[in-house]
Amino acid sequence: MVIKRKSICVITFPPMKAGFTPLSNLIDILTSSSNEIYLITGNESYHHFAGNKHIHLYGIFHSKGNGSVNRIKNYICTHLKIAHLFLKIIRKVDVCIFFLGGEMQILSLIPAKLFKIKTVTIVSGVSIKYEKDILSKIVTKLCTVNFNLVDKIILYSPRLINEWNFEKYSNKILIAPRHFLDFSNFNLSVEFSQRSDFIGYVGRLSEEKGIINFIESIPIILKQKPYLNILIIGDGDLKSNVDKYLSQNGLENNVKLVGWSFREDLPKYLNSLKLLVIPSYTEGLPNVMLEAMACGTPVLATGVGAIPDIINDEETGFIMENNSPECIAKNVFRAMKHPNLEHVVENSHSFVNDNFTYNKAVERYSEILHNIQ
């Protein structure tokens, strides 16, 4: 049964494009679990949600800036802007959810606590340890304060408690993936047997995603499979590194680098692949893994985050021991030569169709909101 709440405010730091789908999914779910939804976000995310009649939208603009001093100054200013917007609506809010960088919003969390508003942080991933500058150290401290003060912490899987060293917060942790798929968009449109030898990577081009490991595996893979084609979809801080490596190693003929893909185009790409590789160092529960499975594309991934909850090796996909280039190449060969690969495809397709519907997601979050009350 859906439990209606008076009002919920979702606060994010202005996310990258990769955050639009997770945030959209969360807003869609909460719309069925609340009478009023307030969303405080920024930059392109604000424009993405503009016109959504189901929410009250408040936006700010964040500029990253050049150099550590400007980055820190702009970062603090953005937090102040977000807190200012939140204070305008604070008396209308019963539950405040921090998401996509929201775990750093201490300037909004403190007044929420003072006004006795229930506070929740949804942790979708931990990538801060891959950043080395002073701002990242500040962010780490802010996250620690948030996790200590917030009423509840939502994780996508119980596996993440140990993996992310969250044992000390175990008394406030709730488990609930907010994932669901639009099966009218993500579906099998090209039979697996009709696809060419084409493997791919879809995701942010950043260190924690293992993209450098993946591109360094390509020469090893091509030594054994010289006619294999590789698709890379994504954008991020390491894009120039990826471009440079592909150019220096003469890989342009085998590798297609697409850049960012709109959601409506992604099913077409996924339906062209015989294998999607997710070589991440850390993950929550990657949307693209579920989307690939819905499109009948087997997934090869490192066993991090909630991935092993979904992928049972050689049953619903493939798990690799680590994400070294050599290990990636070895497991690409293993997956593509698997004698029952089409059976793996059928299993994974059935799994996501059974477990990641909109109704299932609404049920999970209705129970979460009930427990928060």
Side-chain angles (χ1 to χ4, degrees):
M1 183 177 72
V2 174
I3 308 296
K4 287 287 184 180
R5 291 292 174 265
K6 183 179 179 183
S7 66
I8 298 174
C9 179
V10 178
I11 297 178
T12 82
F13 198 79
M16 295 186 291
K17 289 180 180 178
F20 293 176
T21 295
L23 185 53
S24 293
N25 282 3
L26 179 63
I27 294 299
D28 285 346
I29 293 166
L30 294 176
T31 299
S32 293
S33 306
S34 174
N35 292 328
E36 298 286 343
I37 300 290
Y38 297 87
L39 173 61
I40 300 175
T41 187
N43 292 14
E44 292 184 62
S45 179
Y46 174 82
H47 298 293
H48 180 78
F49 288 95
N52 187 325
K53 298 178 181 179
H54 300 292
I55 62 175
H56 304 282
L57 181 63
Y58 298 83
I60 53 92
F61 176 75
H62 172 71
S63 174
K64 188 173 182 180
N66 297 317
S68 295
V69 174
N70 280 331
R71 289 186 66 199
I72 293 170
K73 181 186 71 173
N74 291 351
Y75 186 78
I76 293 171
C77 286
T78 297
H79 280 257
L80 287 168
K81 292 175 186 175
I82 291 172
H84 177 69
L85 288 176
F86 181 55
L87 286 170
K88 287 184 174 182
I89 60 171
I90 195 166
R91 294 186 180 277
K92 302 177 182 179
V93 175
D94 297 317
V95 178
C96 184
I97 296 178
F98 299 96
F99 186 44
L100 296 178
E103 62 268 32
M104 300 162 249
Q105 302 292 333
I106 304 305
L107 295 180
S108 298
L109 173 60
I110 291 173
K113 299 293 290 184
L114 291 173
F115 277 76
K116 301 187 183 305
I117 294 169
K118 293 295 182 180
T119 54
V120 184
T121 294
I122 303 176
V123 189
S124 57
V126 175
S127 60
I128 294 167
K129 64 181 178 179
Y130 296 95
E131 303 290 344
K132 309 296 191 296
D133 61 14
I134 187 171
L135 181 57
S136 298
K137 294 178 181 178
I138 295 172
V139 167
T140 302
K141 294 292 185 183
L142 292 176
C143 289
T144 301
V145 174
N146 178 288
F147 298 147
N148 282 316
L149 291 180
V150 78
D151 293 312
K152 297 293 181 181
I153 298 171
I154 296 179
L155 302 180
Y156 296 152
S157 167
R159 294 175 181 271
L160 298 172
I161 298 173
N162 293 326
E163 187 171 321
W164 292 349
N165 300 316
F166 273 33
E167 294 90 345
K168 59 186 172 184
Y169 310 119
S170 58
N171 64 319
K172 61 173 72 177
I173 288 176
L174 301 171
I175 305 299
R178 46 96 201 128
H179 303 66
F180 67 89
L181 297 177
D182 177 4
F183 292 106
S184 65
N185 191 29
F186 290 96
N187 56 63
L188 196 159
S189 61
V190 178
E191 291 298 327
F192 187 77
S193 60
Q194 302 301 312
R195 303 181 190 184
S196 303
D197 282 348
F198 202 24
I199 70 171
Y201 167 95
V202 180
R204 194 163 61 250
L205 305 184
S206 56
E207 186 176 352
E208 77 276 7
K209 294 296 185 180
I211 180 59
I212 299 300
N213 306 52
F214 178 66
I215 61 172
E216 289 180 352
S217 75
I218 293 174
I220 305 172
I221 295 169
L222 292 179
K223 281 184 180 179
Q224 186 165 328
K225 289 182 170 289
Y227 300 107
L228 185 72
N229 290 305
I230 296 102
L231 174 71
I232 297 176
I233 297 176
D235 202 354
D237 294 340
L238 296 181
K239 184 177 186 303
S240 61
N241 302 64
V242 173
D243 286 331
K244 183 178 180 181
Y245 184 88
L246 297 178
S247 176
Q248 288 180 341
N249 290 272
L251 300 173
E252 298 99 325
N253 290 335
N254 290 87
V255 181
K256 183 178 181 181
L257 187 57
V258 172
W260 190 257
S261 174
F262 290 103
R263 304 305 297 171
E264 56 266 26
D265 296 326
L266 189 53
K268 174 188 67 177
Y269 287 120
L270 292 174
N271 268 277
S272 70
L273 299 177
K274 276 200 170 176
L275 187 69
L276 177 74
V277 182
I278 302 177
S280 303
Y281 285 96
T282 180
E283 280 289 355
L285 178 55
N287 279 297
V288 72
M289 174 180 69
L290 306 176
E291 292 162 350
M293 294 166 74
C295 291
T297 302
V299 175
L300 167 66
T302 42
V304 295
I307 288 174
D309 292 341
I310 310 301
I311 295 183
N312 184 12
D313 192 56
E314 298 193 358
E315 289 293 327
T316 55
F318 301 90
I319 297 289
M320 48 190 170
E321 311 89 291
N322 60 68
N323 66 352
S324 70
E326 295 76 16
C327 189
I328 293 172
K330 178 185 75 173
N331 280 279
V332 165
F333 300 144
R334 176 174 73 98
M336 296 190 75
K337 291 178 180 177
H338 194 273
N340 295 314
L341 188 53
E342 293 202 32
H343 180 65
V344 173
V345 170
E346 291 172 4
N347 287 343
S348 63
H349 185 262
S350 297
F351 183 87
V352 294
N353 274 271
D354 290 343
N355 291 282
F356 290 94
T357 64
Y358 174 72
N359 287 338
K360 289 270 189 181
V362 170
E363 287 175 14
R364 288 192 290 264
Y365 264 78
S366 293
E367 184 176 350
I368 287 291
L369 291 172
H370 179 68
N371 288 333
I372 289 168
Q373 189 69 3

